[in-house]
Amino acid sequence: MDSPEVEVLVIGAGPVGLATALQLGRLGVTTRVVERRGSTSTHPKAHVVNARTMELFRDWGVSERVRAAALPVERAVGIGWMTRMAGLELGRIMADEQPGEPAGGSADSSEPSLSCPQDDLEPILLAAVRELGIRVDFGVEAIGVEQDETGVDVTVRRRPGTAEPAPEPTLRQARGEAARESVETLRARYVVAADGARSPVREHLGIRAAALAPAGHLINVYFHADLTEFARERPYLVWWILNGDTQGAFITLDGIGRWTYNFAFDPEREHRDTYTPERCAEIVRRAVGVPDLKVDVRSTLPWTLEIAIAERFRAGRVFLAGDAAHRFPPTGGFGMNTGVQDAHNLAWKLATVLRGHAGDGLLDTYEAERMEVAEFNAAQSMRNAERMAATGAMFTDAAALSAIEEPEGQPDGDALRARLAAGIPAQREHFFFRGQVFGYTYSSAGVVADGTLARRSTITDYVANARPGALAPHTWFRTPDGTRLASVDLVRGGFLLLAGPLGQDWLAAARQAESCLGVEIAAYRVGPGAELADEGGGWQELYGVGPTGCVLVRPDGHVAFRSAHADPGTRADLVSVLSRVLAKSPRPSRG
């Protein structure tokens, strides 16, 4: 083919692939998605949607739909540890006990963290993608990838019995023949492989993603049961169960009848197929503590607790995202969130390069920025798992827990319960992690440093700042007509320049940069009599700029450049600064 069929082909229609396609489509990039599964997920799998991901969903117009499908925030304000759901409570951690972490959100974001199961989330993203006219084909597997200087040829195979999507029937179907396995080649300028932990595309490209020795093997049981009696007075998202029969964790999906139960098993001693629905239902009954409980097991999913990071996230015109690039334990819920945020980092860069407004070097910053985040999140997720194991909440010898249900006053039982309870406060980083969500800072060619020292966040505590590379801190503004806008609402697919009330020259510099580089820059002054009013009154201090200073924010919400106090030289240098960020030489100004 002389020209690509689409600009970007996304391989994989999980949350990361759909998020990639959704953002690309909103940026006007012609996109197609293929997925080897026959449908979206039917097993809940991931469920944590952290506040940063919700900010992205807000930008993409799906946050209200996700919020409607999510567990009500008032049903997810704590984590409990107990012998059985109907048994003795050993301890708990509640959101309202964490300073600055009220139930449903915090002062650091316009959006709350939510729990929305993957089987509910994927259809929402799929519908939004299709509303943009993007074609999504299920039952289509990528079996070969070849690239040249202008594009990528992807050989795909449609599974037997999988019909072609209407309204684009194949010639074979037009002739009335039954759908059967077919092979074709799709061509795109770029490919995003979001095809899962065992990514065939990654394997085809020869990119290694060697996993560390597994820390454990688990079974995730998705079931329906009425547990209202036990959950009514306990608004816990996660229930850790510890007794001599079973050790694991319940996760409530709707606060009523949809649940999962995760527990460890030893593949050296028994095959995962021995965990039939009947056996899993009995394990659930034991974990609840009700022998005659009605349990409807819908599906089971074996999984491995492990870390693996791909050695590269880019191979020419092919990019890895989500589990194809990194996988790590679910302890903390960062897997899906990290992947969706990969998509956010990559999509605007692809769109900008495809429109000729940036050089290829901008695409190199995807790996430079996202690999460091993935490595940190992976390490922290494993630390969370290790701390849980240290309290006996995971992979504990059942014999060691035989005394946990002894009546009070029995020395062995009292001592064991006291030891486990003492370890619970140390698990806070596992569940409350504002610093990890918002506190990461990029350092790459896509950021122009200003020489200031980093202000480090901890896992739990976020230190908001606008140092280049950091996320532009959340704050609220008002327009002259009284409209209330969050800082994230101002970043709408292009660059954003925020200047102090005396920074009118920055607005002129932004117009010049637009003319020279072709990118869109929304530019506003903040302060009395300016385009935006500072609702809280602390914007200049929060962003570290004076009345004549400015910050330039990238389309992904990270600060690209900051000038605390302007002078004629720095204002004139905005074109040069943005050229460095975009890896692109400016064209002559029309002015």
Side-chain angles (χ1 to χ4, degrees):
M1 301 176 69
D2 294 332
S3 61
E5 178 182 336
V6 291
E7 291 178 304
V8 178
L9 176 67
V10 178
I11 301 174
V16 176
L18 292 172
T20 305
L22 180 55
Q23 191 181 8
L24 288 169
R26 288 172 58 85
L27 293 172
V29 175
T30 58
T31 306
R32 182 173 175 181
V33 183
V34 296
E35 165 59 57
R36 63 178 177 267
R37 298 173 300 163
S39 68
T40 56
S41 293
T42 56
H43 192 97
K45 298 182 183 177
H47 68 99
V48 174
V49 183
N50 68 35
R52 178 55 183 159
T53 299
M54 279 299 296
E55 288 182 347
L56 305 186
F57 290 165
R58 177 189 180 107
D59 181 28
W60 303 339
V62 297
S63 59
E64 290 298 328
R65 283 182 266 184
V66 174
R67 191 175 292 109
L71 181 71
V73 293
E74 65 271 14
R75 298 304 308 167
V77 296
I79 312 296
W81 283 257
M82 55 211 64
T83 57
R84 301 178 197 267
M85 189 174 283
L88 178 66
E89 183 167 309
L90 303 169
R92 65 182 186 177
I93 295 176
M94 303 296 286
D96 56 9
E97 298 168 354
Q98 172 72 12
E101 189 81 46
S106 74
D108 302 322
S109 176
S110 58
E111 295 289 332
S113 296
L114 295 175
S115 176
C116 182
Q118 189 169 334
D119 59 334
D120 288 332
L121 177 62
E122 285 184 10
I124 293 171
L125 297 177
L126 176 63
V129 168
R130 285 180 164 161
E131 286 165 9
L132 294 173
I134 294 173
R135 177 173 172 176
V136 182
D137 293 346
F138 288 92
V140 176
E141 178 183 14
I143 59 174
V145 179
E146 301 293 338
Q147 57 182 308
D148 54 35
E149 293 182 355
T150 62
V152 188
D153 292 313
V154 180
T155 304
V156 299
R157 177 172 56 209
R158 185 176 298 281
R159 292 208 321 250
T162 305
E164 294 279 355
E168 302 179 57
T170 63
L171 179 62
R172 183 182 296 111
Q173 287 178 310
R175 291 172 177 169
E177 298 181 22
R180 59 178 181 269
E181 180 177 290
S182 61
V183 176
E184 62 180 312
T185 299
L186 306 178
R187 186 167 174 83
R189 292 277 298 278
Y190 294 97
V191 167
V192 178
D195 53 344
R198 311 302 173 193
S199 170
V201 173
R202 186 188 66 226
E203 295 296 325
H204 183 85
L205 294 171
I207 298 175
R208 294 183 301 168
L212 301 179
H217 299 270
L218 296 96
I219 302 287
N220 182 302
V221 181
Y222 167 41
F223 68 96
H224 287 193
D226 184 0
L227 301 180
T228 308
E229 175 185 354
F230 314 106
R232 183 183 295 112
E233 302 301 325
R234 290 169 169 169
Y236 301 157
L237 173 61
V238 182
W239 308 59
W240 292 96
I241 303 299
L242 296 164
N243 62 66
D245 295 329
T246 180
Q247 307 86 49
F250 285 109
I251 297 173
T252 181
L253 304 178
D254 63 0
I256 305 171
R258 291 217 309 149
W259 299 80
T260 62
Y261 184 60
N262 280 274
F263 58 89
F265 78 104
D266 185 354
E268 298 295 323
R269 299 175 58 187
E270 54 187 345
H271 195 274
R272 65 188 190 182
D273 290 346
T274 64
Y275 286 90
T276 62
E278 294 75 19
R279 183 182 181 188
C280 289
E282 182 58 30
I283 291 171
V284 167
R285 292 186 188 100
R286 293 181 181 180
V288 174
V290 178
D292 60 350
L293 180 71
K294 291 183 179 180
V295 179
D296 179 8
V297 173
R298 297 300 181 93
S299 57
T300 60
L301 179 69
W303 58 280
T304 302
L305 191 69
E306 65 181 357
I307 286 179
I309 309 289
E311 61 184 354
R312 290 180 290 149
F313 288 5
R314 180 186 187 186
R317 291 177 171 269
V318 182
F319 299 84
L320 306 181
D323 286 354
H326 46 71
R327 61 186 186 272
F328 30 91
T331 38
F334 275 85
M336 180 181 71
N337 289 284
T338 304
V340 170
Q341 291 161 33
D342 290 343
H344 190 234
N345 181 287
L346 178 59
W348 76 269
K349 296 174 180 178
L350 284 170
T352 307
V353 170
L354 283 164
R355 297 297 169 260
H357 302 322
D360 184 75
L362 178 64
L363 298 177
D364 287 333
T365 66
Y366 167 67
E367 178 181 302
E369 294 175 350
R370 294 308 298 171
M371 183 175 286
E372 185 175 353
V373 172
E375 290 172 344
F376 183 88
N377 287 347
Q380 180 62 24
S381 297
M382 186 58 77
R383 281 192 289 270
N384 291 338
E386 290 168 349
R387 274 196 297 268
M388 290 300 297
T391 66
M394 294 174 67
F395 321 122
T396 301
D397 180 5
L401 289 170
S402 59
I404 198 168
E405 295 179 284
E406 289 182 355
E408 290 188 24
Q410 297 293 321
D412 289 346
D414 288 347
L416 178 56
R417 288 189 292 268
R419 180 177 69 82
L420 293 173
I424 289 173
Q427 311 306 320
R428 187 166 291 278
E429 285 187 359
H430 186 157
F431 306 105
F432 303 107
F433 32 67
R434 291 181 299 127
Q436 187 177 354
V437 170
F438 293 108
Y440 59 95
T441 299
Y442 294 148
S443 177
S444 74
V447 171
V448 178
D450 67 355
T452 58
L453 296 176
R455 300 177 64 192
R456 299 292 183 186
S457 298
T458 66
I459 298 299
T460 56
D461 297 319
Y462 168 50
V463 180
N465 70 97
R467 180 176 181 266
L471 274 170
H474 164 66
T475 191
W476 290 102
F477 302 101
R478 290 216 180 250
T479 63
D481 66 3
T483 302
R484 192 175 192 237
L485 295 172
S487 46
V488 69
D489 297 327
L490 300 174
V491 183
R492 292 294 187 183
F495 284 83
L496 168 69
L497 186 142
L498 295 175
L502 303 181
Q504 56 270 15
D505 287 351
W506 286 114
L507 275 60
R511 302 288 79 80
Q512 181 184 13
E514 280 188 318
S515 176
C516 292
L517 294 163
V519 294
E520 294 184 6
I521 306 175
Y524 308 94
R525 292 175 302 137
V526 180
E531 291 77 23
L532 294 174
D534 176 10
E535 183 173 282
W539 176 79
Q540 287 186 42
E541 181 179 359
L542 179 64
Y543 275 66
V545 298
T548 60
C550 85
V551 291
L552 179 68
V553 182
R554 304 188 322 187
D556 59 359
H558 283 259
V559 176
F561 164 75
R562 177 174 65 175
S563 177
H565 303 284
D567 59 48
T570 56
R571 289 194 293 269
D573 276 350
L574 187 60
V575 171
S576 175
V577 163
L578 198 50
S579 297
R580 289 171 58 187
V581 170
L582 296 173
K584 176 76 172 179
S585 298
R587 62 195 182 199
S589 172
R590 291 193 297 269

